[in-house]
Amino acid sequence: MSQGGSFTDYTEQEAKQYNHWILNNENQAREFIQQTTDPDAIRYLVEEEQIDRNFSGVNQSVREDILTHEDAPFDVKQTVAQRNKQLADILVPDDVLKNARTAIALGKPVVLYGPTGTGKTYFAKQLALETCIDYSIHTAAPTWTPGDITGSIQPEVEGGEISYHRRSGCVSDGIEKARKYTDNWGVIIDEITRADISQVFGPLYTAIEDDEQVIFRNEEGEELTLTDDVKIICTMNMSDRTVNELDNAITRRFAMIELSRYDDDDRMELFNRWVSGIGTSVAIDTDELVTLFEDHHQGINNGTTTSAEGGIMEMGPMHYKDVTQFLQEACKDSGEYSGDEANAVGQAFATYIAPRLLNTASLPQIRRIAAHYETLDDEFEEFDLQPAVDLAQRQAEAEQREMGIGDV
């Protein structure tokens, strides 16, 4: 160290004394981090000096030095890994949060299931960031094989010669990251029912019950086994399949945690919180907007006042957050719908809510959705919901043509 100080076992005091020297050059920063055994020195450089941001270009060496440092505190590693993660407060009901936290603490894989719009993927990310250094997220697909979970051997052709290399699956990759960073790593598998669960999860079931079961060998030949520092969090949309239709193998090995539609009070708290972000400068009656959200939600889930039938389908409240964000942006001064707020509300519903409902709806459900939007359009004179009405009606007509039936 050119300005004095020891060459090993750097302390927090030395980090403060020579901070300019440390922050001036990446090699000097790496030397200090690699040589220190003082957790408070690393904490100071990360929290006060944001050293990982100071050297945050293409070369991530300083960041990796901190994440792999055995003396770096867990929360400091989280700070470095999660610098660019922008997630708000956890909004799920308390019992859901408590059950999920307990399962994660026990090392139990988790499946978050429920209807669309309950915030399953969002909560999965929050849960991973709360309990792990960071996470990787993977969306299941019908083409998935067991190799997408545990790993596979892939051919590679170069210069007419065939060679083979090992490609990690999402879980084996998580195992390697947990080893590298010597702390918890989250593996989020989104929309698991898009894949054939019984087929692709088969090798994982044994590994969950036997922590000595080798699920894959990486390119270096290292044996990878599933340990408690790999936190597996899956999501499942109830429109894809019910819990009763799942393979018993997964319900025995995973903690099945339901995210429902939220209680009335919790839902209204969310609605009011979101519409408050629209601001008073936008010419929208936010109280009336909250009422629209609630009437729309009740009609979809529990049935409309104009029909003796029950609910159309299940949906959660999270879709309405997208509506409020759209209105906040579109209706501000110089926004795309400034001065045309009534139409903006209908366009927001047609963009963020109706398509999500229509995507999995049967023809009878589509017709009821269209009728529900027509009713809301009549009841809420301040808002123009015709864009959502038109979208649902077009979808009904398309379904009828595909089924070869005329107007009913």
Side-chain angles (χ1 to χ4, degrees), residues 159-323:
E161 297 291 328
I162 299 178
S163 60
Y164 295 87
H165 68 278
R166 293 178 177 269
R167 186 191 72 180
S168 296
C170 59
V171 172
S172 53
D173 178 69
I175 293 171
E176 291 188 281
K177 284 187 166 63
R179 283 186 179 182
K180 179 180 180 180
Y181 299 133
T182 63
D183 264 310
N184 293 343
W185 185 268
V187 176
I188 299 175
I189 308 177
D190 205 21
E191 314 236 17
I192 59 171
T193 42
R194 290 187 175 185
D196 184 333
I197 296 175
S198 299
Q199 178 194 21
V200 303
F201 275 36
L204 189 61
Y205 292 152
T206 304
I208 290 172
E209 295 184 332
D210 181 4
D211 58 10
E212 295 183 359
Q213 175 69 36
V214 177
I215 68 170
F216 194 60
R217 293 178 185 270
N218 61 19
E219 288 281 76
E220 290 72 36
E222 297 172 325
E223 296 182 346
L224 303 181
T225 59
L226 185 61
T227 52
D228 286 348
D229 52 7
V230 179
K231 307 301 183 183
I232 301 174
I233 308 170
C234 305
T235 72
M236 185 183 97
N237 195 328
M238 290 297 288
S239 64
D240 296 329
R241 197 178 306 180
T242 67
V243 173
N244 292 333
E245 293 175 305
L246 285 177
D247 186 337
N248 286 335
I250 193 170
T251 56
R252 288 201 310 269
R253 293 170 174 84
F254 285 65
M256 306 297 295
I257 299 176
E258 182 182 16
L259 272 74
S260 61
R261 290 178 274 145
Y262 294 69
D263 294 336
D264 291 348
D265 290 343
D266 291 336
R267 190 171 61 252
M268 292 301 291
E269 180 182 346
L270 293 178
F271 291 166
N272 283 299
R273 181 188 305 184
W274 293 333
V275 300
S276 66
I278 294 175
T280 56
S281 62
V282 174
I284 291 179
D285 185 334
T286 53
D287 290 337
E288 191 75 352
L289 186 62
V290 168
T291 303
L292 172 61
F293 287 172
E294 182 64 13
D295 286 3
H296 177 274
H297 184 273
Q298 291 289 354
I300 296 295
N301 287 280
N302 303 320
T304 65
T305 57
T306 58
S307 172
E309 299 176 273
I312 302 171
M313 61 175 60
E314 283 194 302
M315 67 168 286
M318 297 301 172
H319 301 304
Y320 302 100
K321 183 178 182 180
D322 290 328
V323 171

Side-chain angles (χ1 to χ4, degrees), residues 5 42 46 48 59 128 158 183 206 238 245 268 305 338 380:
I42 302 174
V46 170
E48 300 298 327
N59 189 345
E158 185 175 347
D183 264 310
T206 304
M238 290 297 288
E245 293 175 305
M268 292 301 291
T305 57
S338 178
F380 290 86

Side-chain angles (χ1 to χ4, degrees), residues 148-165:
D148 290 287
I149 299 289
T150 56
S152 59
I153 299 176
Q154 299 290 324
E156 187 175 277
V157 179
E158 185 175 347
E161 297 291 328
I162 299 178
S163 60
Y164 295 87
H165 68 278

